[in-house]
Every structure is written in structure tokens, then in C-alpha cells.
Amino acid sequence: MKYVKLFSALAIIMAVAISPTIGAFAQTDVNADVSITAEKSDKQIYKEKQQQVREQIKEQRQDLKSKLTDLQNLRNDRLSAHAEIDVVPSLEFTGKVSGWAVIGGQAVPATFDLSGEAGKIGPRGWKIIGTATAEIGDRDITFDLQGHARGNHVSLKGTTNEFDNVVIHLNGYFAPVSDDTGSFALAFHRSAIINEQAQIRIPLILVGQVNTTPIGDTLPPVVESVDISSELTALFN
């Protein structure tokens, strides 16, 4: 009888001792569930914010692309307007520019032999028609060029009979060589060969020189002399 009472008392003591532990475990499980739910909620919010940022960047890129397309169309319209003007050529030019064509992220040597004619458009403008024979790597291709120059800016567009969808844009600067009458330095830096169908663009970085010869009795353009020494002194002082 004593043993029975003793076992009963021990059972009650163990039940009382275990009950808080069970409650603690149960509370821990609840806290863990709440923590997991909160973590999932944070991840979902983060993903939604990321998606919003991606959409904003996409919209900005699309807007920039549309603006660039509008500028390109405007430039093409101007080129077409100049191309329709009937101009009597007054100068012949020949020369070469060389540099690099960026293909697959690597710079490949490129050389362009230039030749053609130019006629005056207004006091400072020129209409240009000619050809550019390009040697890029192991490939040769000839482009028919037309475009215009004004001030110190030159813009040319070229097409080729070999490929219907390939065009070239040569944009940059030119200036008369100070100690060589009739020669002009060229720098094409905003230039590229483009396959419009495949949407492939090969940037070009080209510099060089062309020599001009008057056609018939036409006098060469008058270039005002500049005191180079004083200009450099003013620049670097």
C-alpha cells in the first residue's frame, strides 16, 4: 500500500515537472512558425521590389532607345535632304583612315581607302559622294558613300551591293592640316557597320587623312591662318 502511494506521488510530481517543458516546446514551435512566415514575407517583398526596379530600368531603356531612334531618323532625314540637292562637285579627294573595328569585344585592325568628290552647300557646307573600300581582318568590302560636312563635322552613310542589309555610318570630325595645303585630317569616332536585319553593330574607331584637288578651274577652299603658338600658349597657361 505504501508503495502504491509512493508511485502515485512520483507520477504526480513528474507530470507537474514535464508540463512546463511541453508548454515551452509548444511555444518554441509557435515562435518558429511565426519567424518562418515573417522570413517568407520579407523575401516576397524583396522580390516584388526587385521586379519593380527591373521594370523601371526596362522602361528607361526603352525610352532611351526610342529617343535614339528619333535622333537617328532625324539625322537620316537631313542626309536625305542633302542628297537631293543638285551640287556641282568642286573638289576631288583621296585618302585613307585606319584604326580598329570592335568585333566580339575585341579590336580588329581596320583600314578604309576613301575617294570621291565634294561640292559646296552654302558658305560652310559640303555635299560628299564617294566610295570607301574597307579591309577588316581578312575581309574586303566596298561601300558607296554619300553625306555632308559642315564646320568641322562630317557625316557619311554607305551601302554595298554585296549585302542588302549592311550599311556603314561614318561620323566625326575633320580639319585642314596646318602645314599641308589641301590636306584634311579625319577622325571617325561615332561610327559603325550595321547589319540592320540581324541587328549586329560593329563600332569603328578610325583616324587618317585625305588630300583634295580642285576640279577644273575651281579654286581650293581658303583656310584662314591661325597662330598656333599663341593658341597653345593660351590653352596651357
Side-chain angles (χ1 to χ4, degrees):
M1 187 68 176
K2 291 180 180 181
Y3 290 112
V4 173
K5 291 181 178 180
L6 179 59
F7 283 127
S8 298
L10 289 173
I12 293 171
I13 293 171
M14 291 178 65
V16 172
I18 292 173
S19 295
T21 304
I22 295 174
F25 281 130
Q27 184 65 37
T28 300
D29 291 341
V30 171
N31 292 339
D33 292 340
V34 172
S35 177
I36 292 172
T37 302
E39 183 178 356
K40 289 181 178 179
S41 177
D42 290 341
K43 287 182 178 180
Q44 183 64 30
I45 293 172
Y46 178 72
K47 288 181 179 180
E48 291 176 355
K49 288 183 177 180
Q50 277 190 322
Q51 182 63 29
Q52 291 176 356
V53 171
R54 282 194 291 266
E55 290 177 355
Q56 290 176 355
I57 293 174
K58 184 178 180 181
E59 291 176 358
Q60 292 173 355
R61 287 179 176 175
Q62 187 62 39
D63 183 56
L64 179 59
K65 184 177 180 181
S66 298
K67 290 180 179 178
L68 290 174
T69 300
D70 292 340
L71 289 174
Q72 183 69 27
N73 291 336
L74 179 61
R75 189 183 66 82
N76 291 338
D77 291 341
R78 289 177 177 174
L79 281 175
S80 298
H82 284 296
E84 294 173 358
I85 298 175
D86 187 14
V87 175
V88 177
S90 57
L91 291 175
E92 294 178 335
F93 65 86
T94 58
K96 179 181 293 186
V97 290
S98 60
W100 307 97
V102 182
I103 303 174
Q106 297 184 348
V108 177
T111 300
F112 286 71
D113 290 317
L114 304 174
S115 63
E117 299 176 342
K120 291 286 289 182
I121 304 176
R124 299 186 63 195
W126 294 85
K127 177 182 177 181
I128 302 171
I129 297 175
T131 61
T133 301
E135 181 180 344
I136 302 175
D138 59 352
R139 194 66 179 269
D140 294 338
I141 184 170
T142 299
F143 293 93
D144 294 319
L145 299 176
Q146 64 176 347
H148 68 279
R150 182 174 178 81
N152 289 109
H153 297 266
V154 58
S155 180
L156 303 170
K157 179 180 179 180
T159 57
T160 175
N161 294 328
E162 299 180 46
F163 306 98
D164 293 336
N165 300 306
V166 176
V167 297
I168 185 172
H169 295 282
L170 297 174
N171 302 295
Y173 297 94
F174 75 100
V177 178
S178 61
D179 57 353
D180 191 355
T181 303
S183 295
F184 292 82
L186 289 172
F188 294 122
H189 61 288
R190 295 181 294 107
S191 306
I193 299 175
I194 302 172
N195 186 317
E196 297 177 332
Q197 182 176 12
Q199 296 185 345
I200 297 173
R201 185 177 186 273
I202 299 176
L204 300 171
I205 306 170
L206 305 167
V207 295
Q209 181 177 331
V210 296
N211 299 314
T212 62
T213 304
I215 296 177
D217 297 329
T218 305
L219 295 176
V222 176
V223 179
E224 297 180 0
S225 61
V226 177
D227 187 348
I228 298 174
S229 298
S230 62
E231 291 287 332
L232 290 176
T233 300
L235 175 64
F236 291 107
N237 281 348

